[in-house]
Amino acid sequence: MMRSKLFVPGSRPEFFEKAMRSAADALTFDLEDGVAPAQKPAARRAIGDFLRGVDIQLGKLMIVRTNGVTHPDFAEDVDAVVSARLDYISLPKLENADEVHRAVRVLAEAEKRKGVDRAIGILATVESPKGLRLAYEITSADKRVAALQVGLADLFAPLRIERHAAALGPVRFAVKMAAAEAGVPAYDTVWTDVNDRAGYERDARDALAMGFLGKSCIHPTQVDIANRVFSPSEKDIAWAQKVLAAGELPENVGKGAFTVDGQMVDEPFFREARATIALARRLKLVS
């Protein structure tokens, strides 16, 4: 569950403990675009040291956004941050399955060296026309790939595409379809204006409507919005409970479809209702 993924610059270790105290479901420690080239070695060491000291029993998911697989620092990034406390690496700028395969090899070698006895997952990010076109190939390249993301700034800026609904809708749809075909969730990108909380919420709700399960945050003030938007509402929970209860009524057992409050429901509705209640229970919104 990653309703909110809070970015933390690897070059600012003074923010690490504060980020741990936030309400974010996951932290993404950044070694890529958020860190100047001269600062990367120190940032790499700071993140590695911090992860090795974090209590593995704490519930927050730990992610490191490394430099891209083709970047000369990639292997050093992985070697520095792999630990028992790391849950995922976030791979930027992926363009083909071979890059995923290379990342998996580097990860496996680092895990062996560090004595990490579980496979660290990969959050695949596409940020180019080619990456978007090959999103399914990338996402299905290896079982370590746990989710698909899109980086809009790198995708749109070279093409001189403005960020607006007409452009965002097709991109989000393509990402969601590729993720669904590969059998993994899709997570939404950042909203860069940290003062525009209303804009962040609108963007998050648009992503929710496209089936995304969570959204990145670049400032702690965005975390509570993401958590609220991507949590089941009281209305969602009530409807899910009503659908599941209706399915157990004697007159509906064995039927392929029937109506609830005048709306037809069938197996896809039951799956959605079960998922809603399962998430609500994980969040302790229902017993």
Side-chain angles (χ1 to χ4, degrees):
M1 179 184 65
M2 291 188 285
R3 300 165 300 170
S4 52
K5 296 193 281 90
L6 177 62
F7 269 95
V8 187
S11 55
R12 302 296 300 273
E14 66 271 23
F15 290 165
F16 293 0
E17 289 290 351
K18 183 178 180 181
M20 285 294 295
R21 295 191 297 271
S22 76
D25 291 335
L27 303 182
T28 301
F29 297 93
D30 193 15
L31 281 172
E32 198 218 6
D33 290 346
V35 179
Q39 296 175 317
K40 289 184 189 290
R44 200 180 288 132
R45 290 192 297 272
I47 294 171
D49 290 344
F50 183 76
L51 288 175
R52 284 186 288 274
V54 171
D55 185 352
I56 199 167
Q57 300 301 318
L58 295 178
K60 207 177 295 293
L61 293 168
M62 300 285 107
I63 305 165
V64 173
R65 181 168 74 165
T66 65
N67 288 281
V69 177
T70 62
H71 193 283
D73 289 348
F74 174 70
E76 287 185 70
D77 288 349
V78 172
D79 188 69
V81 303
V82 161
S83 73
R85 191 59 184 88
L86 181 64
D87 296 293
Y88 303 101
I89 61 167
S90 181
L91 283 183
K93 300 177 175 60
L94 287 167
E95 292 202 314
N96 56 64
D98 287 344
E99 292 177 352
V100 176
H101 296 153
R102 179 185 172 197
V104 168
R105 289 194 298 270
V106 172
L107 261 177
E109 290 167 1
E111 289 163 353
K112 185 176 180 180
R113 284 194 302 274
K114 302 299 179 68
V116 176
D117 59 2
R118 63 182 180 85
I120 292 166
I122 291 171
L123 305 181
T125 309
V126 293
E127 304 182 62
S128 68
K130 182 179 179 182
L132 186 60
R133 177 170 58 84
L134 298 179
Y136 167 71
E137 174 186 311
I138 290 166
T139 310
S140 61
D142 191 90
K143 63 183 179 181
R144 285 189 190 242
V145 179
L148 179 61
Q149 309 171 128
V150 61
L152 288 178
D154 283 270
L155 178 63
F156 282 173
L159 305 175
R160 302 182 66 186
I161 296 175
E162 295 182 9
R163 180 176 176 145
H164 49 65
L168 272 172
V171 170
R172 281 183 172 138
F173 182 78
V175 168
K176 177 60 181 179
M177 290 299 103
E181 186 176 2
V184 301
Y187 290 100
D188 199 43
T189 188
V190 299
W191 178 264
T192 57
D193 187 345
V194 298
N195 295 317
D196 186 4
R197 291 170 57 83
Y200 182 92
E201 179 158 350
R202 285 194 305 271
D203 204 49
R205 292 197 178 278
D206 287 346
L208 176 68
M210 281 287 189
F212 286 67
L213 296 190
K215 186 170 178 63
S216 291
C217 310
I218 60 169
H219 193 273
T221 58
Q222 297 175 335
V223 169
D224 288 341
I225 302 173
N227 286 347
R228 173 165 43 82
V229 168
F230 292 99
S231 295
S233 66
E234 291 183 6
K235 182 178 178 181
D236 295 332
I237 294 169
W239 171 250
Q241 290 172 327
K242 183 174 285 191
V243 167
L244 295 178
E248 295 176 356
L249 294 174
E251 62 267 31
N252 293 328
V253 172
K255 285 186 177 180
F258 50 88
T259 61
V260 176
D261 291 349
Q263 180 172 329
M264 189 213 65
V265 299
D266 56 8
E267 183 54 33
F269 286 87
F270 295 131
R271 288 198 299 268
E272 182 179 358
R274 287 191 288 268
T276 296
I277 297 302
L279 177 56
R281 283 176 177 152
R282 289 179 65 185
L283 297 173
K284 295 181 171 56
L285 300 176
V286 296
S287 59

